[in-house]
Amino acid sequence: MMMDKNCVIKTEHLQKEYKLGVIGTGTLRNDVQSWIARKRGKEDPNRRIGSKEYEKGDYFLAVDDINLEIFRGERVGIIGANGAGKSTLLKLLSRITSPTDGSIAYRGRIASMLEVGTGFHPELTGRENVYLNGAILGMTRAEVDKKIDKIIEFSECEKFIDTPVKRYSSGMFVKLAFAVASHLDAEIMIMDEVLAVGDMKFQKKCISKMRELAVDENRTVLYVSHNMGTIQDLCNRCIVLDHGKKVYDGDVDEAIKLYMGGDNDEFFAYEYVDDRYKNPVKRHDLNLKSVKYIGRTTNMFYDKEPLQFELSWENLEDIPSLSLRIEVQDARRIPITSYIIEDFYSGKKGETHTEQFTLDISKITTGRYITRYVFFNRRNENVAFDDIEDSAGLAFRRKYSETNKRSWNRLWGSIRLGDAGLIRGDR
């Protein structure tokens, strides 16, 4: 298999097939009982209650014809629903299991964390397991000696490093396992969802370390997670799997949008003919009928272009004083800012109304965003405001055309304020 000089992992038509159902019961006696029952056309006495019976020859493709090229220094996220084939793919790439068909080529040593405690011997101490993992990677004892102090410090397990790891909590397992994987000499790091077991502080520490290894030491990271925040923070490339197939490989924001079902992304106008993009609220005093951009053929906004759009609705009740909150969320559905306009409309039951709005989005950084429209009012001065309609809306993209300034890093935030000023007194 031909590989680019910067390619570290390459797969061609990779497949992994599993036979469905339980294969064997664990004892010869029970296997014979089950065989006799099937021959007589009776129910298997050893089958678990409620478990599904599969026809003979039923198979399942956990990984289905995947072609990949992973390059040196890339930070690749792999996302998808449960059962999409993410963990199976990592097991194939880590050589824990063999493919049914296809081929895999490597360039470099691999350190993997696919389950809590992977590669650890439970009877050995934490220190002994560090040396064991180093030996598995082909390192000498002297090479591990040079790194073990940093490994122990990073793991935050100094007090327990000489305790058998079978007595470790799952969090301690992860801390030591990640410390080992990140400090020993492996060109490729493969990480499954295991970091979710650790505390939030340690997760951030791990993400920072993986980014540092990829950027400063040109190592390659493959990372599976259901946490879109960590995927966006760490990765510069993302692969989406669905039922064993690769359905997307490219930009991280695009991958997250596909995974999270952001199918209203390209709409320039939308009619709410059903409640697909609406949330239930306490009161429904109006019904939002449509939303559309004003005079746009693209949802990409550059530099200081304002976002202008039009909303149309029908009054279901008399509305004495209507207010609107326009929320802006990022690709992870996390709110980043809101715009509020109060007491801008009054109307009678049965009336329809169309209103146009303009938003200054010049301080929102490059990326993809989603809008939401929350109408609210209050019945009288003595009660709190109530939401009366809540609808997801159009998506938009931001981009800056200037090339003479340093590009904004998404890790710094989604709102780009002005430059900081200096306060200088007499010197």
Side-chain angles (χ1 to χ4, degrees):
M1 186 189 303
M2 295 292 294
M3 292 177 67
D4 183 277
K5 65 178 182 179
N6 291 318
C7 183
V8 294
I9 297 178
K10 184 175 182 178
T11 74
E12 289 184 349
H13 305 294
L14 192 64
Q15 286 191 347
K16 182 62 180 179
E17 186 178 67
Y18 289 107
K19 186 174 182 180
L20 295 175
V22 177
I23 302 174
T25 61
T27 67
L28 177 60
R29 178 174 178 272
N30 288 349
D31 284 349
V32 171
Q33 281 182 341
S34 298
W35 179 79
I36 292 172
R38 285 196 300 270
K39 284 294 183 182
R40 293 178 175 176
K42 296 183 178 181
E43 185 178 352
D44 185 350
N46 298 303
R47 184 169 64 89
R48 291 182 180 178
I49 296 173
S51 63
K52 181 180 177 182
E53 286 194 36
Y54 295 92
E55 296 295 327
K56 185 178 180 180
D58 279 356
Y59 290 91
F60 168 69
L61 276 175
V63 170
D64 187 2
D65 194 30
I66 289 184
N67 297 292
L68 284 178
E69 281 189 300
I70 309 295
F71 294 92
R72 184 176 290 108
E74 283 193 308
R75 308 185 302 276
V76 183
I78 302 175
I79 61 177
N82 291 333
K86 305 183 299 297
S87 296
T88 303
L89 177 60
L90 293 195
K91 287 178 181 177
L92 291 168
L93 298 180
S94 301
R95 294 174 287 193
I96 291 172
T97 187
S98 300
T100 306
D101 198 5
S103 57
I104 311 173
Y106 306 88
R107 185 178 282 126
R109 289 179 287 193
I110 297 174
S112 61
M113 281 179 62
L114 305 185
E115 296 174 2
V116 175
T118 298
F120 278 19
H121 192 296
E123 299 296 335
L124 300 180
T125 66
R127 188 185 303 274
E128 290 167 338
N129 271 293
V130 173
Y131 284 98
L132 174 63
N133 274 259
I136 291 171
L137 287 172
M139 298 176 65
T140 66
R141 185 180 182 88
E143 288 174 324
V144 179
D145 283 340
K146 293 178 182 178
K147 298 175 180 288
I148 194 163
D149 289 340
K150 290 183 178 179
I151 292 171
I152 295 172
E153 180 184 358
F154 189 94
S155 72
E156 303 173 1
C157 295
E158 297 95 330
K159 290 175 61 178
F160 313 101
I161 198 65
D162 292 309
T163 301
V165 296
K166 66 181 180 181
R167 308 196 187 284
Y168 283 18
S169 68
S170 58
M172 291 168 62
F173 254 124
V174 166
K175 288 183 175 183
L176 184 59
F178 182 87
V180 170
S182 60
H183 284 82
L184 297 185
D185 292 334
E187 289 80 13
I188 304 165
M189 290 181 63
I190 298 180
M191 301 280 144
D192 207 337
E193 192 74 55
V194 288
L195 291 184
V197 177
D199 57 72
M200 187 60 66
K201 181 181 177 183
F202 190 77
Q203 283 185 44
K204 290 181 179 179
K205 184 177 176 180
C206 292
I207 296 297
S208 177
K209 182 65 176 178
M210 285 191 282
R211 192 185 305 113
E212 175 188 318
L213 292 173
V215 174
D216 296 342
E217 300 184 22
N218 212 26
R219 296 203 208 177
T220 302
V221 177
L222 274 69
Y223 181 58
V224 164
S225 179
H226 288 289
N227 185 330
M228 296 301 104
T230 59
I231 290 288
Q232 197 166 47
D233 288 347
L234 172 66
C235 303
N236 58 4
R237 173 183 169 189
C238 196
I239 295 166
V240 183
L241 298 183
D242 183 32
H243 293 91
K245 289 185 175 292
K246 182 180 72 172
V247 296
Y248 182 82
D249 183 355
D251 178 72
V252 175
D253 284 346
E254 287 293 318
I256 292 173
K257 179 200 79 175
L258 178 64
Y259 170 63
M260 299 187 73
D263 52 359
N264 63 340
D265 186 42
E266 298 303 328
F267 294 156
F268 309 119
Y270 187 70
E271 293 185 6
Y272 295 89
V273 295
D274 54 29
D275 291 333
R276 187 174 182 188
Y277 295 114
K278 296 191 176 186
N279 283 347
V281 293
K282 293 179 182 178
R283 294 163 43 198
H284 279 282
D285 288 11
L286 65 81
N287 180 26
L288 185 62
K289 306 291 285 185
S290 68
V291 56
K292 65 179 181 180
Y293 287 126
I294 299 173
R296 306 274 319 171
T297 58
T298 174
N299 64 358
M300 179 71 78
F301 291 82
Y302 290 89
D303 303 328
K304 295 185 178 181
E305 279 189 285
L307 191 155
Q308 297 180 329
F309 60 98
E310 179 180 285
L311 299 178
S312 296
W313 65 86
E314 175 189 6
N315 299 335
L316 303 179
E317 300 289 343
D318 289 348
I319 299 178
S321 181
L322 184 66
S323 300
L324 173 65
R325 182 172 72 253
I326 304 159
E327 298 178 356
V328 179
Q329 303 172 352
D330 65 14
R332 297 168 288 176
R333 303 297 196 272
I334 296 175
I336 63 154
T337 192
S338 292
Y339 302 83
I340 296 177
I341 178 170
E342 295 186 352
D343 302 335
F344 70 94
Y345 167 77
S346 297
K348 297 293 184 180
K349 180 178 179 179
E351 291 179 353
T352 58
H353 184 74
T354 297
E355 193 78 56
Q356 295 184 337
F357 302 87
T358 182
L359 304 180
D360 178 3
I361 57 172
S362 60
K363 290 183 171 59
I364 296 178
T365 61
T366 295
R368 172 186 174 274
Y369 301 93
I370 304 157
T371 55
R372 176 173 290 279
Y373 317 117
V374 183
F375 291 88
F376 61 95
N377 72 358
R378 56 183 174 183
R379 297 179 191 274
N380 58 63
E381 295 287 336
N382 300 317
V383 299
F385 285 97
D386 276 342
D387 291 349
I388 61 175
E389 174 76 347
D390 183 353
S391 302
L394 304 176
F396 67 93
R397 298 169 187 272
R398 285 285 291 124
K399 194 170 184 179
Y400 290 93
S401 60
E402 64 263 35
T403 58
N404 59 340
K405 293 184 179 180
R406 180 176 178 179
S407 60
W408 186 269
N409 189 322
R410 286 294 300 274
L411 297 175
W412 302 341
S414 296
I415 302 296
R416 187 167 75 170
L417 300 176
D419 295 335
L422 295 174
I423 302 175
R424 290 173 171 167
D426 295 335
R427 296 184 178 178

